[in-house]
Amino acid sequence: SAHETGVHCSCASLYTIKLHQLAEKGFGSCECSETVPVVDSPDNASGFQGLFCSDLAEGSVCGQTLFLTSIHRSQTVIYAINLEMKPTAPVAYSPRQTEWQRGEAQSWRLIGVGANMLVACQSGPELPPSIHVCRMDSPNPESCWSPVQGLQPVPRNDVNCPTPFGTSICQIVPRVDGDEKDPVPFESIVLHPDRSAPMPAHGATLLMPHGGPHSAHVVSWNLQYAFLLELGYTLILVNYRGSLGFGNASVKTLPGFVGDNDVDDCMRALDHVLNENSHLDPERVAVMGGSHGGFLTAHLLGQYPDRFKVGVCRNPVTSIAGMVNATDIPDWCYVEALGLGCRPRRYGPTDADLKKMREVSPIVHAHKVRAPTLWLLGKEDARVKPLAVMEYISALQAGGQKAKTIVFPKDSHPLSKPRTEFESFMNIHWWLEQHLSK
């Protein structure tokens, strides 16, 4: 699917090749058969959503069975695939959920396979990572995982243990365009802080679109989210249309419509959560994201300047036209701005290409931004170079808007070095507290 459309990380199909034929027939003549096809539109929310797998664990093929981790809606799930059956439906080897009670939201990630055992990591927004094992021949593998003693998180009653949080999933109907009927809802994960303890950020909401755009928020442990929840913020993690784990048709709806469909989905998610939670103050809303999430953050601040008090952008895309000739993924710029199947031109983008790329970028709305913004940039970023972001920041400063920029000289696109993470956490906390205080 990615080869045909140019969309990064789109739904995969799985093929098997009989390697013993290589010596006799050569690679081009080997028998190749499709084992798991691309899933365009899943039958229902609990069924298989398609293969969204970025890597394979050590020893993941055992006999005629392949074990792997794939995104299933707003969680990750371990699947077993029988390589002898063609085509076949993967069998879930870890729990798949659509609704959760407090403390039950969780994702599973396969670590390795061997000695008739699977080893996996389980975690959730309320559950720090822990190691579990399961026998391959378990009659009901979804419920046969056992924790490894000594490799479990600190008991919840420990004085140093994080405050208990709450997790819920919202099903939100997107905007209907043209003759479209029965649009498929998208999901948002809502993380609620503990309201029993006094926290200064209680009632404040942080909207957090993910990057990619073809990736996904999942219910797993995230240190930054735990940090923000401890401060009292309610977090809205939006899996807008185009996110992974919801079938390939959903992924393909976004290219050519970035800055529109994804922005609208974020606002619908925000409105839904505010309407369902009367304790949240609509006047104390912030937005934060990185990469394409930063792209959406800048868009939201410009398109809806009255809705957000403050914004935080981490290595954001602010102008696709300004990025296309200075990035390690120029193909991304063409596909996301111009649509499915578009590829880089032999002699660079045309005037029409650049015009369209700019029209869908946040830079065209920069003059409308009123919220103070914090910019966290990696000097070594080869994907979104810091100089490409300065045009947007300069536009804000020219309009008299408050903007603070922090450049990490030895970090790149993910901003994931330990010192960078620590300094980012502290500056985000300071910036949000300064501008969202009651």
Side-chain angles (χ1 to χ4, degrees):
S1 178
H3 173 72
E4 297 168 356
T5 64
V7 177
H8 291 190
C9 305
S10 55
C11 187
S13 54
L14 179 68
Y15 286 79
T16 56
I17 298 175
K18 295 186 177 180
L19 295 178
H20 68 271
Q21 299 177 350
L22 275 176
E24 302 173 5
K25 301 181 179 180
F27 185 82
S29 301
C30 284
E31 181 180 338
C32 180
S33 55
E34 187 177 50
T35 303
V36 180
V38 168
V39 176
D40 273 318
S41 300
D43 294 333
N44 51 61
S46 60
F48 181 58
Q49 306 290 304
L51 277 182
F52 296 93
C53 174
S54 59
D55 56 17
L56 297 177
E58 183 176 350
S60 54
V61 177
C62 187
Q64 296 299 317
T65 303
L66 169 66
F67 297 93
L68 52 75
T69 306
S70 181
I71 302 174
H72 173 90
R73 303 184 73 83
S74 297
Q75 65 179 151
T76 54
V77 172
I78 298 171
Y79 285 104
I81 300 172
N82 187 331
L83 300 177
E84 292 184 310
M85 298 177 62
K86 304 175 181 59
T88 185
V91 176
Y93 254 65
S94 63
R96 290 181 298 188
Q97 301 161 280
T98 54
E99 296 182 0
W100 296 283
Q101 301 297 321
R102 177 179 287 273
E104 292 183 354
Q106 58 191 247
S107 285
W108 292 76
R109 178 176 58 84
L110 185 64
I111 297 175
V113 182
N116 198 37
M117 302 288 287
L118 303 179
V119 182
C121 175
Q122 176 210 33
S123 74
E126 309 164 60
L127 301 170
S130 58
I131 306 301
H132 293 246
V133 295
C134 173
R135 294 185 60 85
M136 292 184 198
D137 53 4
S138 297
N140 185 16
E142 288 192 45
S143 59
C144 289
W145 290 89
S146 301
V148 176
Q149 299 301 318
L151 295 176
Q152 300 305 302
V154 178
R156 184 63 70 182
N157 59 2
D158 189 279
V159 293
N160 296 317
C161 189
T163 305
F165 312 133
T167 305
S168 61
I169 296 287
C170 301
Q171 304 284 335
I172 302 165
V173 178
R175 179 187 63 206
V176 177
D177 295 318
D179 298 328
E180 183 182 2
K181 296 181 180 179
D182 301 322
V184 178
F186 63 93
E187 289 186 354
S188 288
I189 304 169
V190 185
L191 304 182
H192 308 270
D194 180 18
R195 295 172 60 192
S196 63
M199 300 177 189
H202 272 163
T205 303
L206 187 50
L207 182 68
M208 302 181 71
H210 61 70
H214 308 296
S215 61
H217 284 301
V218 296
V219 285
S220 61
W221 177 259
N222 184 292
L223 185 60
Q224 184 181 53
Y225 301 164
F227 173 72
L228 293 168
L229 286 163
E230 286 285 352
L231 297 175
Y233 294 100
T234 295
L235 311 183
I236 307 175
L237 314 180
V238 188
N239 280 328
Y240 47 82
R241 287 170 291 172
S243 300
L244 304 184
F246 298 84
N248 206 44
S250 174
V251 174
K252 294 190 294 185
T253 61
L254 186 55
F257 298 96
V258 293
D260 181 11
N261 286 0
D262 42 7
V263 170
D264 188 75
D265 288 355
C266 286
M267 290 306 300
R268 287 173 180 268
L270 175 62
D271 289 338
H272 177 90
V273 174
L274 292 178
N275 289 336
E276 293 292 319
N277 296 272
S278 58
H279 68 281
L280 296 179
D281 185 351
E283 299 297 322
R284 298 174 65 214
V285 178
V287 58
M288 178 172 74
S291 193
H292 190 83
F295 173 91
L296 291 175
T297 295
H299 257 301
L300 290 160
L301 292 171
Q303 292 192 43
Y304 298 91
D306 297 330
R307 299 295 304 275
F308 300 96
K309 298 290 281 188
V310 61
V312 179
C313 295
R314 303 170 67 253
N315 282 335
V317 177
T318 55
S319 173
I320 299 178
M323 169 187 172
V324 65
N325 289 323
T327 178
D328 61 345
I329 51 168
D331 57 305
W332 180 93
C333 300
Y334 284 85
V335 170
E336 299 303 336
L338 307 182
L340 295 172
C342 291
R343 296 292 197 275
R345 317 288 187 195
R346 183 175 181 183
Y347 299 107
T350 65
D351 289 345
D353 294 340
L354 292 172
K355 181 175 182 293
K356 174 64 174 177
M357 290 176 182
R358 188 171 180 84
E359 287 174 350
V360 302
S361 297
I363 189 68
V364 299
H365 302 286
H367 64 285
K368 296 181 287 185
V369 175
R370 293 204 294 270
T373 50
L374 173 64
W375 301 80
L376 304 174
L377 310 176
K379 186 178 179 181
E380 301 299 321
D381 190 351
R383 190 141 299 171
V384 185
K385 294 185 181 296
L387 288 177
V389 181
M390 292 305 173
E391 179 188 15
Y392 191 102
I393 297 174
S394 296
L396 293 180
Q397 293 173 336
Q401 302 306 318
K402 186 175 182 180
K404 178 177 177 60
T405 305
I406 300 175
V407 179
F408 298 97
K410 296 183 179 181
D411 218 326
S412 58
H413 195 61
L415 295 180
S416 57
K417 291 183 180 296
R419 179 166 180 170
T420 302
E421 282 196 334
F422 171 76
E423 293 186 10
S424 294
F425 286 10
M426 294 300 101
N427 278 283
I428 289 169
H429 168 44
W430 167 75
W431 192 255
L432 294 179
E433 184 179 50
Q434 186 178 19
H435 298 288
L436 282 179
S437 59
K438 295 182 180 180

